[in-house]
Amino acid sequence: MNQIQETKNLYIFKEISGSTSTIYRQHKEDESEEKVKIFTKNGETFEYEFEGKSVKLIVFEGFKELPKIITPFGYGFEERSLNNFFRYNFVDKRINKILISESTESKRVGATLYFNLGEISDVVGAINQEQRACNDTKKILIKNYLVTVFPEINFDHQETNNNKKLILRNLNDKLIEQLTAEEIEKIGSFYVKAARKFKAAHIIKRMSAGLMKNAQLITLQEIITKYEFHLEKNPPESTWQAFFDEYITLFDSRYVRKLNYKNIATALTKYPDLVLVDIYGYLDFYELKKSGTKLLQYDSSHKTWFWSKEVSMVISQASDYLQKAKENAFSYSQAIKTETETKTEDGFRS
């Protein structure tokens, strides 16, 4: 056994037996001169001693030199958080060894965890990035506080956490549960600003379509909640009319506009509950009734079903609306054109 290295606190020794080399460390202040085994090397394989609660050995395969991810003095992984995790936090009776290689697939085989060196190095890089960002954020928060309290201090106000990977890594479902409505709205505003950086039409169209689709889903979820609430409470018909008056165009994408019937010159004193214009310029009349409205009645003498009084009245109303629409076709056509036109496009012609 020969001494091959000396550090401030350690002596490093090497023992050779055939094709196997064993490296030891000895603390300078240790009067007993105890030599602690660090690792053995045979060809391109290193077997590294580790003092974890479960993991006792780390094997490196396919390396001429010990990878920099591990300390050469026998204290485990160079990155402290990673080392502490496998030393103190990782407890699994099924695992007692880690094998690291540049070519292996990360997986578990028996009592061994196989790690790809590139992947574990990426984890270390992400950990270091988090730590640097955390330290930078602390400094920025202190500076921003000083700028707020003492504006004359020569510091500029800074935004925290402008690292792309760091932000994307922390966008997860657990974060959603912690966000307030105002914070989610702020994220939506950021999305819109971010979309403006692109000039290509197909990219803008794709991003806009995605945002609109997600916004519509959120709106529909809210509508469904209100709908279920109304079903349970059974409110008066006027409540249902207000509900559909606000949301009907979201239920059916054919509709582009809801008309205010009272603004159309007709001779009616009783108005439909809803008047809608579809994408082709046609009109649909809606007369709303509560779900408990009786639809059919049974004629026992003739053994037939017929429309109830309530439904018959609705049919008569709808027929009257249709007749008045025919009689006042010009007024309807003008109303549709006026309410569907924009600054750049003419309105629909019915």
Side-chain angles (χ1 to χ4, degrees), residues 15-273:
E15 181 180 56
I16 299 176
S17 177
S19 60
T20 301
S21 301
T22 305
I23 306 298
Y24 299 87
R25 70 170 182 264
Q26 176 191 318
H27 283 274
K28 290 182 176 180
E29 297 179 357
D30 185 2
E31 295 181 357
S32 65
E33 298 183 351
E34 178 187 8
K35 294 175 177 57
V36 178
K37 183 179 176 182
I38 302 175
F39 63 85
T40 61
K41 180 178 184 295
N42 190 331
E44 295 186 347
T45 299
F46 294 81
E47 292 189 352
Y48 189 99
E49 303 292 315
F50 191 75
E51 297 179 354
K53 289 186 175 181
S54 293
V55 176
K56 304 299 180 184
L57 186 68
I58 301 176
V59 178
F60 295 90
E61 284 190 350
F63 298 96
K64 294 181 179 180
E65 301 291 338
L66 194 66
K68 293 181 179 180
I69 196 173
I70 204 87
T71 172
F73 304 122
Y75 300 108
F77 291 103
E78 286 280 9
E79 207 294 311
R80 183 179 298 178
S81 299
L82 181 67
N83 191 63
N84 288 343
F85 178 84
F86 282 108
R87 189 169 183 179
Y88 303 113
N89 302 118
F90 182 79
V91 180
D92 192 324
K93 295 180 180 179
R94 299 168 300 173
I95 305 297
N96 58 28
K97 184 171 71 173
I98 292 174
L99 189 147
I100 298 176
S101 169
E102 289 184 308
S103 58
T104 190
E105 176 186 354
S106 295
K107 58 187 176 181
R108 175 202 163 198
V109 178
T112 302
L113 289 178
Y114 286 74
F115 291 148
N116 179 275
L117 179 63
E119 293 178 358
I120 198 72
S121 296
D122 288 342
V123 172
V124 171
I127 292 171
N128 291 334
Q129 190 179 62
E130 289 276 0
Q131 291 173 342
R132 286 193 301 271
C134 183
N135 291 333
D136 290 343
T137 298
K138 292 175 183 176
K139 295 176 184 176
I140 292 171
L141 289 173
I142 295 170
K143 287 182 179 180
N144 289 347
Y145 170 72
L146 290 175
V147 170
T148 302
V149 179
F150 305 109
E152 65 274 14
I153 288 182
N154 190 26
F155 286 137
D156 292 327
H157 186 279
Q158 291 180 265
E159 297 293 338
T160 59
N161 290 344
N162 58 357
N163 185 287
K164 180 179 71 174
K165 291 183 179 179
L166 178 64
I167 293 171
L168 294 176
R169 190 162 56 244
N170 285 284
L171 291 178
N172 55 68
D173 290 347
K174 290 183 178 180
L175 178 64
I176 294 174
E177 300 301 322
Q178 303 175 44
L179 294 173
T180 64
E182 291 77 13
E183 290 166 341
I184 293 174
E185 186 177 358
K186 189 174 181 180
I187 292 174
S189 298
F190 177 81
Y191 182 97
V192 174
K193 288 180 182 178
R196 291 174 184 161
K197 68 172 284 188
F198 296 100
K199 302 299 182 183
H202 70 284
I203 295 178
I204 296 173
K205 184 177 180 180
R206 186 187 70 200
M207 296 180 73
S208 300
L211 182 61
M212 291 176 63
K213 180 180 178 181
N214 290 328
Q216 191 174 43
L217 285 175
I218 292 172
T219 304
L220 288 174
Q221 288 170 353
E222 178 187 1
I223 294 171
I224 291 170
T225 300
K226 288 184 179 181
Y227 179 78
E228 292 175 341
F229 175 80
H230 289 333
L231 282 180
E232 181 181 352
K233 298 299 180 182
N234 192 29
E237 189 174 306
S238 59
T239 300
W240 282 111
Q241 182 170 344
F243 174 82
F244 284 103
D245 187 65
E246 183 175 0
Y247 297 121
I248 188 66
T249 52
L250 291 173
F251 293 151
D252 196 326
S253 58
R254 291 176 304 164
Y255 297 125
V256 294
R257 179 70 64 176
K258 176 170 63 65
L259 296 184
N260 186 344
Y261 193 93
K262 296 179 182 180
N263 291 338
I264 303 173
T266 65
L268 290 179
T269 56
K270 171 76 170 121
Y271 303 104
D273 292 327

